[in-house]
Amino acid sequence: MSKLSIKRKLLVYNILIQTFILIILSLSIYKTLHISTLDKMETSLKVIVLDIVDDLIKHQDEFLSVDFDEEKEYKFKPLYIRLINDKEKIEKSTKFPKDLPISFHEIEKDAIHFEKFESFIVGEIKFSMLNRDFVLQVATDYKILNETMQNLFYILIFIIPIILIFSISGGYFLVYKSFKPVEDILTNLKEINSSTLSKRLSPAQSLDEIGMLAKEINSLLQRLEISFEKINQFSSDASHELKTPLTIIRGEIEIALRKDRTSQEYKKSLQSCLDEVMIIQQTIDDLLFLAKNEDLANNLEDVYIDEVTFEAIKELKPFAKIREIEIKSQIDDVFQIKGFSKLLKIAVKNILKNAITYSYKNSSVLIKNYIENENYIISIEDKGIGISKKDQKKIFEKFYRTDKSRNKESGGTGLGMAIVEKIIKLHDAKIELISEEKKGTTVKFIFKRKINE
């Protein structure tokens, strides 16, 4: 049984249960009919006994002349009648079976008593007539009972297999019909692999458990597809982006090993390798961040934008000092939103770092917080080299650099703006980029203001 499918197990259980129920039902019917027929025989004998006793008492002076013709009168065959006196002698009889005993003294007076023997059932009564006690016995065999039970037996033998066949057929139909959607789901699932994760199960027509199962499987497939896409994208991006720094590191090492060099030359070579390793590390961190698919919806917190702004400024002030750039802040409005403070700080720092990196020396970067047209806005403005119209369209693409050689010097990976875009989208906000070459760039984070805020 353990090796059978659930469908076959249900069919076997259905056959066993239906057979058991039919057997119990047949036995119940058989027993009920047996008792009912026996009761009917006793009732008929009781009526006949009382009728004969009335005739005998009515004609007691000549009771021996009374005919025992109840067999014809009641059409009850066979019927055996005998009258016994107080000396236990038979006064009158109609071919009464000789092997049936006379129980004169054991019978209660004026009460009908029934005795059941192997082949006969006897109804008897003790009554008084002519100042004497008599016992009237009326007997019949089990012919009626046996014929009735035999007919029922043949009916059951004929009808039970028919009922069982229809019952099993109905059970098979129900099991097949119930498991058809499950088999369809299994067939469709067998066709889905890592290269066909975009395929989905056919939507169920009903909202029963099978429909809910198909819906949940489709939801699982969608999550798996997204995860596989992110893994493939991460692998592709990592392979693409790590190839260059690894090639550089290999070249530096090969050059350093060609001949003996001074300690200063070795230091320079090692420093170059370290720079490339730092770029690799930053690239991997950025790729992992972009590949994350965490459910952050349940972890929203109150974010005070002015605090995020001041923390970002504080952390980048040393970097700005090295670059000889002044960071200015203008907090016109203090407001808060629902979001993720750490992620927002990363976004603000990325834009602020780019503004510092690409500003002219001895210039300033201005970061502002204000409310405009029912929107919360964080604005970062620099007076730097700006971004061309062509580059503005691709600025948020992964690994895109406006000037690769200059970006290389800044330690960038080309993923910063992609990370910023993802963070801002998580907050249901948008980014606005305004830039003009050799004049500067302004980046705005625009958050929708809620009605109840």
Side-chain angles (χ1 to χ4, degrees), residues 235-445:
S235 301
S236 176
D237 291 345
S239 175
H240 170 271
E241 191 62 19
L242 298 181
K243 189 180 294 184
T244 301
L246 287 174
T247 302
I248 294 172
I249 292 172
R250 178 181 176 180
E252 289 285 347
I253 294 173
E254 287 178 347
I255 292 172
L257 293 175
R258 282 179 185 175
K259 62 178 182 178
D260 292 335
R261 301 181 182 277
T262 63
S263 60
Q264 191 63 32
E265 288 176 326
Y266 280 127
K267 283 183 180 181
K268 184 179 179 182
S269 180
L270 289 173
Q271 184 61 49
S272 177
C273 290
L274 178 61
D275 292 340
E276 295 300 328
V277 169
M278 294 298 291
I279 291 174
I280 291 174
Q281 182 181 349
Q282 184 62 45
T283 300
I284 292 173
D285 291 341
D286 291 346
L287 286 171
L288 286 173
F289 180 88
L290 289 173
K292 283 182 181 178
N293 192 25
E294 298 174 354
D295 182 14
L296 299 172
N298 297 323
N299 299 319
L300 291 172
E301 58 186 8
D302 290 328
V303 180
Y304 292 90
I305 298 301
D306 59 312
E307 292 182 3
V308 171
T309 302
F310 286 132
E311 287 179 11
I313 292 172
K314 181 180 178 182
E315 292 178 16
L316 285 176
K317 266 191 175 180
F319 178 70
K321 187 174 182 181
I322 294 171
R323 293 278 179 166
E324 299 180 18
I325 304 295
E326 181 184 4
I327 302 176
K328 296 180 180 179
S329 62
Q330 182 181 325
I331 311 300
D332 295 334
D333 298 292
V334 176
F335 49 85
Q336 69 180 54
I337 63 169
K338 287 286 185 182
F340 318 99
S341 58
K342 291 182 179 179
L343 296 183
L344 277 175
K345 187 168 74 171
I346 291 172
V348 173
K349 284 177 64 178
N350 277 353
I351 299 299
L352 191 56
K353 185 178 179 182
N354 284 344
I356 295 169
T357 302
Y358 301 115
S359 290
Y360 297 116
K361 285 186 178 181
N362 300 315
S363 63
S364 63
V365 174
L366 176 62
I367 181 168
K368 297 191 291 185
N369 294 350
Y370 59 95
I371 299 174
E372 182 180 80
N373 297 327
E374 299 300 318
N375 292 319
Y376 297 140
I377 298 175
I378 302 175
S379 172
I380 300 173
E381 180 183 346
D382 67 64
K383 304 296 182 183
I385 61 175
I387 306 170
S388 67
K389 295 290 184 182
K390 177 185 175 182
D391 290 331
Q392 288 180 30
K393 296 177 182 178
K394 301 179 180 180
I395 195 72
F396 295 106
E397 294 179 7
K398 286 188 287 187
F399 302 116
Y400 184 78
R401 298 184 177 97
T402 56
D403 186 329
K404 293 188 178 181
S405 61
R406 184 165 52 221
N407 205 301
K408 189 83 171 183
E409 293 173 2
S410 67
T413 63
L415 293 169
M417 295 302 288
I419 291 173
V420 170
E421 185 181 42
K422 179 177 180 180
I423 292 172
I424 298 304
K425 282 183 177 179
L426 279 174
H427 290 80
D428 195 24
K430 63 180 182 178
I431 304 175
E432 184 179 296
L433 176 67
I434 304 169
S435 183
E436 189 175 345
E437 289 187 272
K438 297 182 180 180
K439 289 190 176 181
T441 301
T442 301
V443 178
K444 295 181 181 180
F445 299 156

Side-chain angles (χ1 to χ4, degrees), residues 226-235 290-293:
I226 293 171
S227 298
F228 267 79
E229 285 178 354
K230 288 185 176 294
I231 291 170
N232 291 335
Q233 187 64 48
F234 177 82
S235 301
L290 289 173
K292 283 182 181 178
N293 192 25

Side-chain angles (χ1 to χ4, degrees), residues 51 125 147 167 179 188 197 268 274 286 304 359 380:
D51 187 31
I125 185 171
E147 287 178 353
S167 178
F179 274 80
N188 290 335
L197 277 175
K268 184 179 179 182
L274 178 61
D286 291 346
Y304 292 90
S359 290
I380 300 173

